[in-house]
Amino acid sequence: MSTPTYNVIGTRPIRHDGADKVTGRALYGADLQLARLVHGAILRSPHAHARILRIDTSKAEALPGVFAVVTAADFPPAPADKIVDFGEGDTLLSSLRGNILASGKVLYSGHAVAAVAAVNAHVAAEAAALIDVEYEVLPCVLTAPAAMAPGAPILHDHLPNGNIAETVRYEMGDLAAGFAQASLIVERELDTATVHQGYIEPQNATAFWSTDGRIQIWCSTQGSFVARDATAAVLDLPVSHVKVTPMEIGGGFGGKINVYLEPVAALLSKKAGRPVKLVMSRRDVFTGTGPTPGSRVRVKIGVNPEGKITAAQAWLAYEAGAYPGAMVVPGAMTVFACYDIENILIEGYDVVVNKPSTAAYRAPGAPNSALATETVLDEIAEKLGLDPLTLRLRNAAHEGTRRADGPRYKRIGCVEVLEAMQASPHYNAPLPGPHCGRGVAIGFWFNVGLPSSATLSVNADGTVNLIEGSTDIGGSRASLAMQAAEVLGLRAEDIHPTVVDTDSVGYTGVTGGSRTTFSTGLAVHDAAQLVIAQMKARAARLWAVDHVDFANGVFSANGNSLSFAELAAQLGATGGPVSCSATVNPKGVGGSFAGLITDLHVDPETGKTTVLRVTSVQDAGKAIHPAYVEGQMQGGTAQGLGWALNEEYFMDADGDMRNGSYLDYRMPTALDLPMIETIIVEVPNPGHPFGVRGVGEANIVPPLPSVANALYRATGKRLNRVPMNPATILGL
Amino acid sequence: MKAFDYAAPASLPEAVGLLASQPAARLLAGGTDLLVQLRSGRKQADVVIDVKKIPELNEITLAPDHSLTIGAAVPCYRLTDHPAIRTHYPALAEVASWIGGTPIQGRASLGGNLCNSAPSADSIPLLIALSASAHLIGPAGRRSVPVEAFCTAPGRNQLAPGELLVAIHIPAPAPHSGAAYLRFIPRNEMDIAVVGAGASLTLANGLIAAARLALSSVAPTPLFVPAAGESLIGQAPTPAALEAAAQLAQAAASPISDMRGSAAYRRHLCAVMARRALELALARAQESK
Ligand SMILES: Cc1cc2nc3c(=O)[nH]c(=O)nc-3n(C[C@H](O)[C@H](O)[C@H](O)COP(=O)(O)OP(=O)(O)OC[C@H]3O[C@@H](n4cnc5c(N)ncnc54)[C@H](O)[C@@H]3O)c2cc1C
């Protein structure tokens, strides 16, 4: 296949929302002001596990300046076993509601119990403190292995298997025969701690429930339609009664898909008769929203003397937090996804524990399981005396490889990523001195499709308005406008992208799953094709011809030619404005592979790690805007390095988080990371017109094992727990 | 956070008078401790008295003998940016550049760091090593307290009701002396010391004539370890002598386990950080005239 040449795709125009963002004009949820707005506060459980015996809100209601107090009793009645599905799979309504406002029991420290709306945030906080909740404190359980043990405190009565909410099992080939062929078998078990996405902007929601029963919501969300549908489900309202306006968003990384505040703000607004704004504190974000699961993963891999994997086995237990849904399924699906292996057994357990209900976080589930696989492979490479990338190349997945969970890969870039790592200047540079180590690892993420919609309207001056519903977290206005511009033969600056509310564009799935540039990009591409078709028809009418060509922004036929702008100026006279919409539900998703080379130094006396040099390599399929692809790679790498080295929910025995601030949570700062080098690999995805794969997630998969492997080379120790912080490195 | 009254006296007598009439008032310098504590509900205030408008609290005075007086409200950045302080007190300029980050240093003061009296306060071990004293004023007049005797418990100190800190005074450094403060944090900024060590060392005729060592984050208050310094007096500045002093510091520590580090890890770090601080102080003493 010859490489197509593009005019716009692959260039680096300034993002359309850039000026507003750097000048502080972009409006985030906390900036929103409305007439008669009042402010909310949420009362959260101090206990990790307790029965709610009684909630007395009378003192709070009596406080001057208080407009409304709500608890779970304010949800409309619903049967206990009602199932809701808003495109994300089935969920028990009681679980969805239970996490928003606890009823019956609190299941984690930080669990929302009641909410107040008052004249200002201070009065609201004071009123929340006046709500009297009587608890019967129950024993709590905080890790998956402990929750699976006999006699563990049970969180939910309705789960048939104690605290195990779900079991997943994938099997392929003959495991015993595979291990029998192996000349070397390595087995390791590694734990990871609960970590948070760490987006800079806390969750917020403002809601106004008007007297006609319709609700308007302004919030920070990765998916306005999902927020709408979840809010409608929780409040038992017709979907059309809820309108969600996504404000600008200060990061999400998967953590801003679930709703926490929106239905509460709505309930408060209904009682108060005014718009109500809720804004979380950082501690609320840590304790009241979804982190990514802590986990225990055991991996056993056998190889023959040439380093070909003969069998691989994995056992995974992930902490779901308070409600089922720990991402153990993707963890299990990805654990061996980078390799072509005949004999596989994977067993995974989704385990509820008394911690915040987990949410998605960049390639959710995959870093935890890749940590085990990639460190075991490092050990195997060492024992065989093989270069660790060579070992991986001997086993790398390729077109036709079958994954243990079923699908066969179409064209993928696993080999190309490994080759790019091996050929990189970084991999071929010497280490700077003693106590230094270099580690490598690779990872996979599926990416998703899901529906997206877009509308393009041609203006008479030849510029084009792009209406879309994908929250712009990582530069998607630019990457979408560029795809429109490419089809229309225009410049990126000629397209004016706007993210609109749920009443103003067709259904669009979340900005997540690395899908926006792929799926919404496809919608934009298809809408642009429709625009071209209609414009050709106008030109045909103008010139009285049957066939019009369009190339490089120029319509032509029989010696006539008009540029896009020239023809746009004649639309009024040829039948009126052109405006085209497309809604897609694409199936041609292309998975992405990523690798990371890490050089680090360990201070042998303090155990402190200094990351010296890192190179992130990823298959983008096609990098629409390379700078934003690099940004995704650098962001995922930075988050992964923090996860590997220092971040964790530090909880006491009672399940209270002791480090719920950015001071003590220890995410890396700019001074903690070197410049993150990037190598973009482009193996086009045959399922997208421009070859896009989606790049938001795979890059966070390799850092955990890459760091673990580098630490081993620097210290001679194979640690079995992330974070691999200074004390752990010294064993203290 | 509850509403509170705010006052900003423009002179010391006015401040002392105000404080006498409002003994429960909270004093505000940079506010980087106080405002955080008020917002989180860890402290309450009916009245907040801002001391930043008092001229004497904003002065830096470097005497001809290089003794140094730092007004209680002087923000950290002024210490870091002060050419003479960088020359004569490099360790002080360093510690001022480590507290918080750039925005914090625009407000945070050493006076606030001292009066907040956290066991982890970064400036206090160095001030102890430098033999600094706290100059206080109150209804009974002025008095001076050695910094090593100032803190009494986490968040508690020698300030009597109605008293406030005017300045921190550091006596003239001896010839051939050097000082250092080093802290261990897992990151490179925005962290609270897991263990910190401040040291000063004076050389005479190739031997150690004076030495002082103090630690942070390993006891209920910043911890002065006189025995560590005394063990060095009269000794040649050998690695073994420094290591022995560091071991004494470690033995004096009584760290706890918390989210920032386990007691065992902190104890281990005591010896490492104390030795490294002594090494750096020694190197500076050897360079100094
Ligand atoms: C993000 C962040 C990072 C931080 N990092 C560090 C760090 O790395 N190292 C470190 O040691 N600290 C750190 N701190 C804590 C704080 O910044 C320092 O302790 C700082 O020196 C306090 O100075 P201030 O002027 O802001 O004090 P304030 O908050 O104004 O006051 C602190 C206390 O001293 C009292 N006080 C103030 N002035 C006087 C006076 N003249 N007389 C009597 N009492 C007085 C106040 O009432 C209050 O109790 C950090 C704080 C934040 C918010």
Side-chain angles (χ1 to χ4, degrees):
Chain A
M1 184 172 118
S2 68
T3 317
T5 55
Y6 297 116
N7 294 319
V8 180
I9 286 170
T11 65
R12 301 174 181 235
I14 289 174
R15 61 196 291 166
H16 299 73
D17 50 321
D20 273 358
K21 296 245 165 95
V22 299
T23 56
R25 287 206 179 170
L27 288 178
Y28 293 81
D31 299 322
L32 189 75
Q33 296 296 337
L34 296 171
R36 303 177 74 239
L37 182 69
V38 295
H39 301 265
I42 292 200
L43 178 71
R44 296 180 181 277
S45 168
H47 306 295
H49 195 191
R51 215 176 298 286
I52 301 173
L53 301 179
R54 192 177 53 87
I55 304 179
D56 180 354
T57 58
S58 56
K59 278 188 229 146
E61 277 155 358
L63 188 76
V66 170
F67 285 90
V69 181
V70 299
T71 67
D74 291 287
F75 286 129
D81 53 356
K82 183 170 178 186
I83 300 282
V84 289
D85 176 12
F86 38 90
E88 299 268 291
D90 289 350
T91 314
L92 210 53
L93 179 62
S94 61
S95 291
L96 197 60
R97 284 182 173 178
N99 196 38
I100 292 166
L101 283 173
S103 108
K105 285 210 291 187
V106 289
L107 296 170
Y108 53 97
S109 174
H111 201 159
V113 175
V116 179
V119 64
N120 65 45
H122 301 296
V123 174
E126 206 180 325
L130 289 174
I131 297 173
D132 199 5
V133 186
E134 196 182 322
Y135 293 104
E136 177 196 341
V137 178
L138 303 170
C140 65
V141 61
L142 298 173
T143 66
M148 293 168 86
I154 298 294
L155 274 75
H156 298 282
D157 294 333
H158 70 264
L159 294 178
N161 199 0
N163 291 318
I164 298 174
E166 191 183 349
T167 307
V168 51
R169 189 182 162 95
Y170 301 119
E171 210 172 349
M172 200 160 76
D174 182 338
L175 193 73
F179 279 121
Q181 289 162 32
S183 56
L184 171 66
I185 296 175
V186 172
E187 180 171 12
R188 291 269 177 188
E189 183 175 273
L190 288 103
D191 290 355
T192 68
T194 304
V195 297
H196 198 271
Q197 300 84 356
Y199 33 82
I200 198 79
E201 182 210 17
Q203 264 87 352
N204 56 76
T206 301
F208 182 52
W209 193 316
S210 61
T211 40
D212 63 2
R214 292 180 187 272
I215 305 176
Q216 282 191 70
I217 293 171
W218 298 259
C219 60
S220 178
T221 178
Q222 287 179 240
S224 50
F225 285 86
V226 171
R228 177 195 69 173
D229 295 355
T231 302
V234 166
L235 300 178
D236 199 18
L237 289 170
V239 167
S240 61
H241 278 36
V242 183
K243 172 169 122 181
V244 172
T245 303
M247 304 297 286
E248 293 296 343
I249 178 168
F253 311 108
K256 287 189 184 154
I257 296 174
N258 297 349
V259 297
Y260 301 98
L261 299 177
E262 291 83 349
V264 181
L267 286 175
L268 285 170
S269 174
K270 186 181 188 187
K271 273 198 181 175
R274 290 173 172 236
V276 176
K277 183 197 267 189
L278 284 167
V279 182
M280 286 199 189
S281 68
R282 182 61 55 191
R283 189 172 166 80
D284 291 344
V285 172
F286 273 120
T287 63
T289 71
T292 204
S295 58
R296 170 163 294 175
V297 179
R298 195 161 58 237
V299 159
K300 179 176 166 185
I301 295 177
V303 292
N304 70 17
E306 288 73 52
K308 179 74 193 134
I309 298 172
T310 59
Q313 185 175 3
W315 180 96
L316 310 89
Y318 282 30
E319 298 162 7
Y323 296 93
M327 307 294 175
V328 72
V329 175
M333 289 161 81
T334 53
V335 62
F336 300 128
C338 293
Y339 303 105
D340 188 51
I341 306 173
E342 253 175 62
N343 307 303
I344 290 182
L345 174 62
I346 303 166
E347 295 164 285
Y349 299 91
D350 181 42
V351 188
V352 291
V353 299
N354 293 114
K355 287 182 178 176
S357 194
T358 56
Y361 178 17
R362 255 189 154 130
N368 313 47
S369 61
L371 171 67
T373 302
E374 294 291 299
T375 52
V376 164
L377 284 178
D378 193 63
E379 195 169 338
I380 288 174
E382 190 203 8
K383 292 197 164 135
L384 292 178
L386 268 181
D387 168 68
L389 292 176
T390 303
L391 173 72
R392 286 171 172 81
L393 273 166
R394 284 188 189 166
N395 294 285
H398 46 76
E399 188 169 354
T401 293
R402 206 188 128 205
R403 249 188 5 238
D405 54 302
R408 272 188 201 285
Y409 286 121
K410 301 201 185 78
R411 184 75 175 91
I412 50 170
C414 185
V415 168
E416 287 80 355
V417 163
L418 284 162
E419 287 171 347
M421 291 170 80
Q422 220 166 23
S424 68
H426 180 173
Y427 199 63
N428 293 288
L431 279 169
H435 308 300
C436 292
R438 172 171 299 154
V440 295
I442 59 170
F444 167 74
W445 188 249
F446 321 87
N447 302 334
V448 298
L450 300 179
S452 271
S453 306
T455 298
L456 291 169
S457 304
V458 181
N459 299 314
D461 63 358
T463 62
V464 175
N465 290 354
L466 162 56
I467 305 296
E468 42 123 346
S470 289
T471 325
D472 184 354
I473 308 190
S476 54
R477 283 185 182 88
S479 71
L480 298 176
M482 288 170 74
Q483 293 182 67
E486 187 69 48
V487 177
L488 300 176
L490 299 174
R491 300 169 309 162
E493 305 85 83
D494 296 329
I495 313 293
H496 175 63
T498 306
V499 181
V500 295
D501 64 68
T502 51
D503 282 359
S504 307
V505 66
Y507 187 93
T508 298
V510 295
T511 297
S514 301
R515 62 173 292 278
T516 302
T517 302
F518 170 77
S519 280
T520 312
L522 188 62
V524 167
H525 169 273
D526 288 3
Q529 298 279 23
L530 295 174
V531 167
I532 294 301
Q534 290 202 14
M535 302 264 292
K536 278 181 176 174
R538 302 301 179 86
R541 187 179 308 173
L542 215 56
W543 297 324
V545 296
D546 290 336
H547 179 80
V548 173
D549 286 320
F550 177 72
N552 296 318
V554 178
F555 296 89
S556 59
N558 293 348
N560 297 305
S561 80
L562 282 173
S563 72
F564 188 95
E566 286 163 348
L567 182 55
Q570 304 209 31
L571 291 180
T574 56
V578 167
S579 177
C580 301
S581 300
T583 295
V584 299
N585 192 17
K587 299 289 172 226
V589 179
S592 182
F593 291 81
L596 189 71
I597 309 167
T598 304
D599 290 1
L600 49 77
H601 171 268
V602 178
D603 180 331
E605 285 189 322
T606 64
K608 178 163 168 164
T609 295
T610 303
V611 180
L612 302 171
R613 183 176 184 184
V614 283
T615 302
S616 174
V617 183
Q618 186 170 354
D619 176 16
K622 178 68 199 168
I624 300 292
H625 193 306
Y628 300 153
V629 173
E630 290 158 5
Q632 291 292 325
M633 294 164 71
Q634 290 166 327
T637 302
Q639 288 184 309
L641 292 174
W643 186 347
L645 288 171
N646 284 307
E647 291 176 35
E648 72 177 304
Y649 274 46
F650 189 95
M651 315 205 71
D652 63 21
D654 297 329
D656 189 32
M657 185 184 188
R658 304 311 299 269
N659 61 337
S661 74
Y662 276 168
L663 186 58
D664 286 319
Y665 179 71
R666 291 173 172 165
M667 289 198 329
T669 73
L671 294 192
D672 299 309
L673 297 172
M675 181 63 193
I676 296 168
E677 297 168 46
T678 54
I679 299 174
I680 301 174
V681 172
E682 292 186 319
V683 177
N685 168 20
H688 186 276
F690 301 126
V692 169
R693 288 186 186 274
V695 291
E697 294 172 284
N699 41 55
I700 202 175
V701 185
L704 268 58
S706 181
V707 164
N709 293 337
L711 280 172
Y712 168 71
R713 308 279 162 167
T715 65
K717 289 186 201 170
R718 291 222 179 259
L719 304 177
N720 59 10
R721 181 175 188 271
V722 160
M724 296 180 171
N725 61 29
T728 312
I729 289 169
L730 294 188
L732 289 170
Chain B
M1 186 167 60
K2 282 195 156 187
F4 53 76
D5 287 336
Y6 170 86
S11 72
L12 265 182
E14 195 189 331
V16 173
L18 211 66
L19 205 50
S21 66
Q22 304 270 9
R26 299 273 178 198
L27 294 171
L28 172 89
T32 61
D33 279 316
L34 184 69
L35 294 181
V36 176
Q37 291 159 0
L38 290 178
R39 288 180 70 153
S40 74
R42 248 189 310 151
K43 280 189 182 167
Q44 277 79 38
D46 292 327
V47 184
V48 166
I49 300 178
D50 186 347
V51 297
K52 282 194 294 293
K53 307 268 155 66
I54 306 170
E56 201 175 338
L57 269 63
N58 277 307
E59 281 163 16
I60 300 177
T61 314
L62 188 66
D65 68 352
H66 298 150
S67 67
L68 178 65
T69 306
I70 304 165
V74 169
C76 285
Y77 83 93
R78 284 182 58 202
L79 299 173
T80 312
D81 288 357
H82 198 295
I85 290 179
R86 291 164 80 113
T87 307
H88 299 292
Y89 295 95
L92 197 62
E94 275 165 11
V95 91
S97 76
W98 292 344
I99 290 177
T102 303
I104 297 289
Q105 289 152 20
R107 285 283 185 186
S109 63
L110 290 200
N113 199 234
L114 181 59
C115 293
N116 187 57
S117 301
S120 59
D122 278 317
S123 74
I124 302 181
L126 178 66
L127 293 173
I128 294 173
L130 291 170
S131 304
S133 53
H135 288 190
L136 316 180
I137 193 167
R142 293 193 182 236
R143 64 179 179 125
S144 168
V145 179
V147 169
E148 63 262 32
F150 185 78
C151 301
T152 53
R156 297 187 178 276
N157 53 46
Q158 295 276 9
L159 282 168
E163 263 189 328
L164 67 95
L165 177 75
V166 179
I168 294 164
H169 178 75
I170 303 175
H176 307 296
S177 67
Y181 174 75
L182 293 175
R183 66 173 181 182
F184 180 80
I185 53 174
R187 295 184 291 178
N188 292 321
E189 63 169 333
M190 278 295 174
D191 233 327
I192 301 299
V194 180
V195 169
S200 69
L201 213 142
T202 304
L203 294 173
N205 304 320
L207 298 180
I208 299 171
R212 286 166 71 89
L213 188 76
L215 301 171
S216 56
S217 294
V218 298
T221 64
L223 183 68
F224 180 39
V225 191
E230 284 157 15
S231 78
L232 289 167
I233 293 172
Q235 303 263 353
T238 61
L242 301 190
E243 179 60 39
Q247 293 295 332
L248 288 171
Q250 183 184 48
S254 54
I256 56 161
S257 291
D258 67 9
M259 71 275 190
R260 295 181 187 136
S262 68
Y265 182 51
R266 284 198 158 109
R267 188 173 293 286
H268 167 83
L269 285 176
C270 282
V272 176
M273 300 315 290
R275 195 200 73 234
R276 290 183 178 183
L278 284 167
E279 285 168 354
L280 182 55
L282 172 64
R284 285 179 173 156
Q286 284 165 336
E287 277 165 27
S288 99
K289 283 168 261 148

